Amino acid sequence: MTTAFDALPGLLRERVPELGVDLDTWTRRMMRWHFDPETGSPFWVARREKLGFDPVRDIGGFADLTRFGLFDKAELRAAHARDLRPRGYRDRPFRVFETGGSTGAPCRIVNVTRLAYDVEIYRTVLEARGVAGGDVLAMTPSGPHAYGHFVEGLADSWHGAVHAIDFDPRWVKAALRSGGDAGAYTAHLVDQTLTLLTAERPSLLFTTSRLLVELAMRLPRPLHTYGMRAVCTGGTSCTAAEAEFLREEHLPGVQWIDTYGNTLVGHALQADPVPGAPAGTGHSYHLPPPFAVLQVVDPADPWREVEVGQRGRVRATTLLEDLFLPNLLERDSAVRTGPHPWFPWEGVAAVRPFLEAGAAEEAVEGVY
């Protein structure tokens, strides 16, 4: 079924009713959930008495979350996974996901419901683009990484097969940090993908922009000739010249759907440029509240949002039953954009790594 984009916001709220909850109302609900000893995780319940304020009584809306200060990822890295599981979900199955470790040791999170939200939202967007359904080729991180599990859940939603490759993004990052080269491992990933692409003729390819470039360099013919209808990317970005090369040489007749985000904040959805958008920003990306909120802030003052059209550092807050992370400074800079007709929430555009002078952790993207 193809859905007109002007109906997309309403359809998203119909399928995921939580998207229709006011952000302030949802924030108060999450404070009650995460800090009640009966429902909250040991991680957050143990911190309630040390905050200097009562999150249930004193947080009246989203703006009050600044009282938590900036979140330190080191706390998440040091936490036991079971301490992150909300007690309200003690009788439900859960999975442990890990980040890729771009800025140091990986962080762990737990998933109970979040993946189901992501799948329903993304499937609705694919339906609007007319490309939902069929088998999937997952050129994505495997093992403990959320991306691969998300792709499996998406294909399960329409009973499609997932043809996955063996992919450990940390191998590449370890090689780069030690002064090595990622070429051999990248070739290993591409070789696996080429075999499946030829043998199985999947409809959708999920990968990163960087790996899409590497794959395209090895393809003898455009992707649509393999039966591919859409390529869905996330993670690393590619240059404007690389993007133009891909669209002209390898993606004619194939939709390219990009996202911005990560394991901790989720998927910010790509929207096409609209008239009046700042020059050079291209696509914008919109993260669905109330589950998470992206703000673009002054690098010198992380509590001051920049104006629409200005560049700053990305600050993210995640507000899920599975995961509460307030005021996390991301490793990215971006241009702040206004709402979009497809996704009526503020967004970000022209995302690129944030270069912080004297940073203790240097971001290593590699292939993801």
Side-chain angles (χ1 to χ4, degrees), residues 211-225:
L211 281 178
L212 181 58
V213 172
E214 298 293 335
L215 176 64
M217 298 296 289
R218 296 271 302 276
L219 286 175
R221 60 184 192 271
L223 267 174
H224 74 88
T225 64

Side-chain angles (χ1 to χ4, degrees), residues 52-65:
F53 63 92
D54 185 340
V56 176
R57 183 188 67 236
D58 298 333
I59 302 297
F62 180 78
D64 294 333
L65 293 178

Side-chain angles (χ1 to χ4, degrees), residues 235-318:
T236 55
S237 58
C238 57
T239 68
E242 289 170 334
E244 184 178 4
F245 160 75
L246 288 171
R247 289 192 177 92
E248 291 183 355
E249 300 296 328
H250 291 280
L251 299 180
V254 175
Q255 291 196 49
W256 183 2
I257 306 164
D258 195 28
T259 59
Y260 163 67
N262 55 47
T263 304
L264 301 183
V265 302
H267 305 274
L269 306 165
Q270 174 194 299
D272 287 349
V274 295
T281 54
H283 296 291
S284 57
Y285 301 91
H286 303 260
L287 194 62
F291 296 149
V293 176
L294 298 179
Q295 295 169 284
V296 184
V297 299
D298 182 346
D301 180 3
W303 305 113
R304 186 185 75 81
E305 285 193 82
V306 302
E307 298 296 324
V308 170
Q310 292 185 341
R311 177 172 290 279
R313 186 171 183 178
V314 177
R315 194 184 83 206
T317 291
T318 302

Side-chain angles (χ1 to χ4, degrees), residues 33-360:
W33 172 264
H34 284 289
F35 291 96
D36 186 319
E38 290 300 311
T39 57
S41 67
F43 178 87
W44 280 114
V45 170
R47 284 161 173 73
R48 181 171 181 172
E49 299 302 321
K50 306 171 187 176
L51 291 172
F53 63 92
D54 185 340
V56 176
R57 183 188 67 236
D58 298 333
I59 302 297
F62 180 78
D64 294 333
L65 293 178
T66 57
R67 299 190 67 167
F68 283 93
L70 296 176
F71 184 78
D72 186 354
K73 274 188 185 178
E75 291 193 58
L76 196 58
R77 291 187 177 112
H80 294 288
R82 283 195 172 272
D83 288 341
L84 298 171
R85 182 177 61 159
R87 292 189 176 110
Y89 287 150
R90 61 171 66 86
D91 297 325
R92 298 180 62 170
F94 72 103
R95 292 290 181 269
V96 179
F97 296 152
E98 295 190 8
T99 61
S102 292
T103 56
C107 298
R108 288 169 297 279
I109 64 168
V110 298
N111 170 74
V112 182
T113 60
R114 183 252 188 87
L115 202 64
Y117 288 142
D118 288 344
V119 165
E120 193 61 46
I121 291 168
Y122 203 90
R123 175 179 172 164
T124 303
V125 172
L126 290 181
E127 289 179 354
R129 293 182 176 274
V131 295
D135 292 342
V136 176
L137 175 51
M139 194 184 187
T140 63
S142 49
H145 304 286
Y147 197 177
H149 292 274
F150 161 72
V151 174
E152 290 173 351
L154 190 64
D156 285 347
S157 75
W158 59 62
H159 309 296
V162 176
H163 302 284
I165 67 171
D166 230 358
F167 181 174
D168 177 4
R170 296 177 194 161
W171 185 276
V172 174
K173 290 172 183 177
L176 293 174
R177 284 193 175 103
S178 63
D181 180 69
Y185 193 78
T186 300
H188 168 63
L189 301 178
V190 171
D191 286 342
Q192 295 179 71
T193 304
L194 286 170
T195 299
L196 292 170
L197 187 63
T198 303
E200 299 294 344
R201 294 182 64 83
S203 300
L204 299 172
L205 169 65
F206 281 80
T207 188
T208 71
S209 298
R210 175 58 48 205
L211 281 178
L212 181 58
V213 172
E214 298 293 335
L215 176 64
M217 298 296 289
R218 296 271 302 276
L219 286 175
R221 60 184 192 271
L223 267 174
H224 74 88
T225 64
Y226 296 87
M228 192 68 61
R229 293 186 290 139
V231 174
C232 306
T233 54
T236 55
S237 58
C238 57
T239 68
E242 289 170 334
E244 184 178 4
F245 160 75
L246 288 171
R247 289 192 177 92
E248 291 183 355
E249 300 296 328
H250 291 280
L251 299 180
V254 175
Q255 291 196 49
W256 183 2
I257 306 164
D258 195 28
T259 59
Y260 163 67
N262 55 47
T263 304
L264 301 183
V265 302
H267 305 274
L269 306 165
Q270 174 194 299
D272 287 349
V274 295
T281 54
H283 296 291
S284 57
Y285 301 91
H286 303 260
L287 194 62
F291 296 149
V293 176
L294 298 179
Q295 295 169 284
V296 184
V297 299
D298 182 346
D301 180 3
W303 305 113
R304 186 185 75 81
E305 285 193 82
V306 302
E307 298 296 324
V308 170
Q310 292 185 341
R311 177 172 290 279
R313 186 171 183 178
V314 177
R315 194 184 83 206
T317 291
T318 302
L319 283 164
L320 290 159
E321 296 102 325
D322 309 70
L323 183 67
F324 170 51
L325 295 177
N327 311 313
L328 175 64
L329 282 178
E330 290 285 7
R331 59 185 175 95
D332 303 309
S333 76
V335 174
R336 179 185 175 187
T337 73
H340 190 278
W342 299 355
F343 309 116
W345 324 297
E346 284 204 357
V348 298
V351 180
R352 64 190 186 209
F354 177 73
L355 302 177
E356 186 175 16

